Structure formats: C-alpha cells, structure tokens
Amino acid sequence: MGAGIAQVSVQAGHQTVGRETSEELGERGRATIERYLTRGVEKGRLTQDECDAALGRLTLTTDLDDLADCDLVIEAVLEELDLKRDVFAELDRITQPDAVLATNTSALSVSEIAETTSHPGRVVGMHFFNPAPVLPLVEIVRTQQSADDAVDAAYAWAESAGKQPVRCNDTPGFIVNRILIPLLNDCVRVLDEADVRPEDMDKAMTNGAGWPMGPCALIDLIGIDVHVHASEALHGKLGEPRMAAPERLVRMQQEGKLGRKSGAGFYTY
Ligand SMILES: NC(=O)c1ccc[n+]([C@@H]2O[C@H](COP(=O)([O-])OP(=O)(O)OC[C@H]3O[C@@H](n4cnc5c(N)ncnc54)[C@H](O)[C@@H]3O)[C@@H](O)[C@H]2O)c1
C-alpha cells in the first residue's frame, strides 16, 4: 500500500518521501512504482516525460526524521496498533505542528492511534483501497478530536490527486470494510458449507451478483493476513460472529498462504 500511495502522490505532482524499514524494501517499492508507470507509458496513459518527472519526485529513506518537512504524512505500516501508535508518537515529535498526520489503517481505531500524539487534532484516517493508484475511493476518517482544517486538507489532497474522497466518522471498519469484511467472511464459510471451489465461488459472485471481481480473488489481492487482522479487529469491536475470521483463512495464514504477495492463496501466482 505504501508504494501505491507514494505513486498516487508523485503522479499528483507532489515531492514525496517514501520511508521503508530497509533500503532494499525501499528500492523494491520504487521498482513497483516504476513498473506500473512504465506500463502506463506503454498503454498510452501517460508520456515518458510524465513518467520520468513522477519518478523524479520520489526520494527514499529509512530514517523517519527525513519526514520533518512534509505537510502531509500518510502512514501505511503493518496493521498493528502498538506499531502505529509508536510511529505516530515519533511523527508527532519529528514533523511541524501544522502537518497533517494520516493513517491508512483498514480497521484499527484512528482515535487510539492518535492518542500517542500531543496534537491529536491533526490526525485523520486516509483509507485508500488496493491497488491505491487504480481504485478511486479514499475514506477520510474524522475522530472526535480531528480538527476541521486537518480533515479538509486530507480531503482536498485526495481530490486533487484525482481520487473520490468521502468523509466518515471513526467507527469500526469505517464504510466499506464494515460491510465488506463480514460479507467476504460469509463467502469463505460458504466454500466449506456448500463444498464450493474458490473458482466456482468467484464465478458465482461475478456472474450472479455482478461483482467485478470474485471474493476469493479479492481476498488474495487484499492479503490473507491483512484480511484476518481486519476481521479480528472488527469482531473485537462489534462482536458479530460473521466478523470473526473463518477457520480456513486462519489456517491459510499459518501456512504462509497470504495471497498474491506470497505467490499463493486461494490461487497460485
Ligand atoms: N492490503 C490492502 O488491501 C490494504 C488496503 C487498505 C489499507 N491497508 C492498510 O495498509 C497498511 C499496510 O498494509 P499492506 O497491505 O501494505 O501491508 P504489507 O505487509 O504489504 O506492508 C507493511 C509495511 O510495513 C512496513 N513495516 C513492517 N514493520 C515495520 C516497523 N517496525 N516499522 C515501520 N514499518 C514497518 C513494511 O516494511 C511494509 O512496508 C495496513 O494498515 C493495512 O490495514 C491495506
């Protein structure tokens, strides 16, 4: 997600600092962006000059201190509350007091992430969808403490980057995941209940319900680990049994079948 969001930012014309935990991972992120932009040139979606200019706006670092002058920071580290809280405490110390600090969390509480900062008013959620350069929606999440200026700035940034932002409060799962996570979990349970193959489930939902992509392919794209995490977070907050991660997904995660990113999930890649 970090690379995808960085791509959105450089394509929107912003000088962008991409921070990874190692130089190797940073370079991998840059290579991903380069690959997508080059494919865009081949397909005539942008010119070679635009591609070069976009790549030229990206600087890589492993040091969080290099984000000191950023007006907007969009965090996309692992979906773990303690990790995000630590990162926000650091960002709060490092950045200018009027910088907007946004989290791309899928299902954690933005308010709980903001608690470790001394300026929680400038913390908002900016929830992109995967792949970030392709999917237009960005949920702009407001906590009870978010300042109007910060929410408006995040909304305006997303809109100027060609996205379709929508505002919502900091409730579990926000809009799409609150609805989609239990629904995807239902689909996985039906695989076992009705003895359906993943490819047939996807065939059923694309042809019968008009979904643009089948649920198994979608979970593979999201990442089994990310989806299990999000299910646990939603279940923990709202308690509906449908929100709990199905046994089958937990098993896949334990086996390292994390979907597309690991080369195997419901499908092999
Ligand atoms: N995958 C999706 O479909 C999706 C969609 C929307 C939002 N999100 C959210 O985006 C965030 C990242 O998800 P992802 O799918 O890109 O996960 P990922 O596992 O692909 O990437 C996690 C990132 O966190 C970094 N990281 C790991 N340990 C770290 C540490 N100690 N300090 C700082 N960074 C560390 C990794 O280097 C990597 O860049 C999560 O909050 C997730 O909920 C994911």
Side-chain angles (χ1 to χ4, degrees):
M1 288 303 290
I5 295 167
Q7 182 182 330
V8 170
S9 180
V10 293
Q11 282 195 272
H14 301 292
Q15 293 297 330
T16 305
V17 185
R19 188 263 184 170
E20 254 296 3
T21 46
S22 70
E23 282 179 19
E24 190 198 340
L25 285 173
E27 282 305 332
R28 203 187 294 172
R30 189 210 295 273
T32 303
I33 296 173
E34 194 166 353
R35 200 168 54 247
Y36 282 115
L37 289 179
T38 304
R39 202 183 299 160
V41 173
E42 285 161 9
K43 294 198 168 171
R45 284 197 290 264
L46 74 165
T47 66
Q48 187 62 51
D49 283 352
E50 286 168 338
C51 169
D52 295 342
L55 286 170
R57 292 185 200 107
L58 179 67
T59 316
L60 296 179
T61 184
T62 55
D63 189 353
L64 219 48
D65 286 343
D66 288 336
L67 306 185
D69 296 326
C70 292
D71 303 316
L72 168 66
V73 179
I74 305 174
E75 164 278 316
V77 305
L78 291 179
E79 185 77 337
E80 290 172 12
L81 182 60
D82 287 344
L83 174 61
K84 288 191 191 282
R85 284 165 63 97
D86 289 349
V87 168
F88 271 74
E90 279 289 285
L91 289 173
D92 190 46
R93 186 183 58 75
I94 291 164
T95 53
Q96 304 298 317
D98 58 349
V100 174
L101 304 182
T103 173
N104 180 47
T105 182
S106 299
L108 297 173
S109 154
V110 179
S111 315
E112 286 178 26
I113 294 170
E115 270 170 8
T116 54
T117 69
S118 54
H119 307 93
R122 62 184 174 135
V123 179
V124 298
M126 285 183 79
H127 185 218
F128 291 76
F129 289 74
N130 194 10
V134 178
L135 290 187
L137 181 62
V138 184
E139 293 171 338
I140 307 293
V141 183
R142 167 201 295 274
T143 73
Q144 283 192 342
Q145 291 189 292
S146 299
D148 290 346
D149 284 356
V151 175
D152 292 346
Y155 187 98
W157 190 95
E159 207 171 37
S160 72
K163 295 296 177 191
Q164 296 285 343
V166 292
R167 290 182 169 86
C168 64
N169 283 347
D170 182 26
T171 50
F174 315 132
I175 304 170
V176 172
N177 280 346
R178 165 68 180 81
I179 297 162
L180 193 59
I181 286 173
L183 197 51
L184 289 176
N185 286 341
D186 280 345
C187 294
V188 174
R189 290 193 174 94
V190 169
L191 291 176
D192 295 321
E193 285 166 15
D195 193 18
V196 181
R197 296 181 313 154
E199 45 273 50
D200 285 341
M201 169 62 72
D202 286 357
K203 200 171 162 184
M205 294 306 286
T206 50
N207 290 288
W211 286 24
M213 180 184 233
C216 297
L218 180 56
I219 296 172
D220 272 0
L221 181 65
I222 292 168
I224 279 51
D225 52 338
V226 172
H227 180 78
V228 166
H229 251 102
S231 297
E232 285 167 353
L234 209 56
H235 184 239
K237 292 262 158 62
L238 297 176
E240 282 181 32
R242 298 172 61 225
M243 291 168 177
E247 189 57 35
R248 182 177 180 130
L249 289 183
V250 175
R251 242 185 359 254
M252 286 169 73
Q253 184 183 8
Q254 286 162 352
E255 289 165 3
K257 290 185 177 171
L258 304 183
R260 267 177 196 257
K261 64 183 166 193
S262 70
F266 287 105
Y267 299 96
T268 46
Y269 299 90

